[in-house]
Amino acid sequence: VTSIAVLTSGGDSPGMNAAVRACVRVGLSLGCPMFIVERGYSGLVDGRLRSMSSRDVAGFITAGGSLIGSSRCPTMMEPGGPEQAIATLEAHGIGGLVVIGGDGTHRGARELHRRGVKVVGVPSTIDNDLPHTERTIGFDTATNTLAMVLGKLRDTAASHQRTFVVEAMGRGSGWIALHAGMAAGADAILIPEVEWSREAVLSGLLRRLDEGKTFNLLVIAEGAGDADELAKWLDRQTPDMLEVRACIPGHIQRGGTPSVSDRLFATELGARAVQALAEGRSGIALGLRGATIEEHSLEAACGEKRRIPRELYDLALQVG
Ligand code: F6P
């Protein structure tokens, strides 16, 4: 029976702890000694491993962030980095590794896999941008958080007849902006996947003003532009007509207790990851299609970002 280590890497996302908990508890039930690596790949490079009992993950299901620590670790992509990580795994007699994170995490896993490490990737990033899965752990929670922020801004925007430009996280992708914007009834949603111009945004706002709409919520994905800049520009173009403010919720979108849906999804993925290792499958990345968790190659998980379906964006325009 092989010993298995678990790590979380990259930007933390709500539900990571639930995945770690499931790995530890299901792994132990399969008879595998379980370990966690502190602070992602950097802990692997530096040799920070801890043996875990079932009690050690008590309370993990509801906790936000990553209780075992996370990091972005450039060393993993540098010459000698993966070898250092492998030396740690060998020193602790670890036969399998579960990595929980986003694109950088899966690229690190691919390096280890190429050097013979038995590794399984679990998709976890608020950005929802991995190519091989329709969903990542943390996206649901982050989207709900931003939708809640938008709801609060709507109250004050309506009271003062103001226009708010709200910046969504998501790095190069517009998933959080689109889902939260749609769910909050935003008046415009700007994402990097779809071309936009500030002139078109302005004329849309003026048209709405003509129709009697006295306040607005605009969501702009961080990969599509700068909320401050757009707010200032719109404000300058519309003296005495619109009063525009920017709001950048930033890392608030990463924190907080995971949604029920993220807790369950993370639990299933964590369980599947250690089951795969215990059954001798590795070099794989878990992903969701429809209602089914599938196993893909790590290569597939390192491809182009997942695109936003144009129909969904068009629907947002239609109803916004
Ligand atoms: O990948 C998650 C994410 O929160 C992105 O949405 C954002 O662009 C980035 O991480 C921020 O990174 P950091 O926390 O390192 O500033």
Side-chain angles (χ1 to χ4, degrees), residues 238-253:
T238 54
D240 310 324
M241 291 171 94
L242 296 179
E243 199 183 347
V244 191
R245 294 280 190 275
C247 173
I248 305 179
H251 288 77
I252 287 171
Q253 294 159 91

Side-chain angles (χ1 to χ4, degrees), residues 122-238:
V122 169
S124 186
T125 162
I126 62 164
D127 301 340
N128 202 36
D129 59 350
L130 294 178
H132 65 293
T133 181
E134 288 172 5
R135 180 174 170 193
T136 56
I137 298 168
F139 172 62
D140 182 64
T141 307
T143 306
N144 274 287
T145 299
L146 186 60
M148 181 202 68
V149 167
L150 290 168
K152 290 179 190 288
L153 290 172
R154 169 180 288 268
D155 292 345
T156 174
S159 309
H160 286 263
Q161 292 87 50
R162 279 177 174 159
T163 294
F164 271 85
V165 181
V166 187
E167 193 170 298
M169 268 196 169
R171 205 181 287 274
S173 95
W175 283 102
I176 299 175
L178 181 59
H179 276 218
M182 282 184 82
D187 301 278
I189 302 171
L190 309 171
I191 59 175
E193 292 85 348
V194 178
E195 243 181 84
W196 63 277
S197 74
R198 51 194 197 175
E199 289 74 16
V201 173
L202 176 60
S203 64
L205 290 178
L206 295 177
R207 200 179 50 245
R208 281 161 193 273
L209 194 62
D210 253 4
E211 292 165 4
K213 179 94 199 266
T214 55
F215 71 94
N216 298 281
L217 281 179
L218 266 59
V219 181
I220 181 167
E222 61 176 341
D226 186 300
D228 261 326
E229 233 172 69
L230 180 60
K232 286 201 177 92
W233 185 83
L234 289 169
D235 204 50
R236 276 199 306 273
Q237 305 307 306
T238 54

Side-chain angles (χ1 to χ4, degrees), residues 45-80:
V45 169
D46 302 342
R48 287 191 301 269
L49 260 70
R50 245 189 301 137
S51 157
M52 295 295 275
S53 73
S54 183
R55 296 321 311 152
D56 290 335
V57 287
F60 272 46
I61 188 88
T62 52
S66 173
L67 292 170
I68 63 172
S70 190
S71 64
R72 304 193 194 279
C73 176
T75 315
M76 271 305 283
M77 303 312 283
E78 289 164 7

Side-chain angles (χ1 to χ4, degrees), residues 1 11 33 47 87 117 123 188-189 207 213 224 240 278 292-293 295 309-310 312:
V1 179
V117 174
I189 302 171
R207 200 179 50 245
K213 179 94 199 266
D240 310 324
T292 310
I293 292 173
E295 296 177 2
R310 181 68 211 211
L312 188 62

Side-chain angles (χ1 to χ4, degrees), residues 262-312:
D262 269 331
R263 293 179 206 179
L264 299 185
F265 184 42
T267 299
E268 280 185 76
L269 285 170
R272 280 291 295 271
V274 289
Q275 274 155 6
L277 285 170
E279 289 164 14
R281 295 191 304 287
S282 64
I284 56 175
L286 300 180
L288 187 75
R289 182 160 39 177
T292 310
I293 292 173
E294 297 180 330
E295 296 177 2
H296 299 265
S297 68
L298 279 168
E299 206 58 52
C302 296
E304 289 272 295
K305 291 201 290 285
R306 194 159 70 88
R307 306 291 302 168
I308 284 180
R310 181 68 211 211
E311 314 82 72
L312 188 62

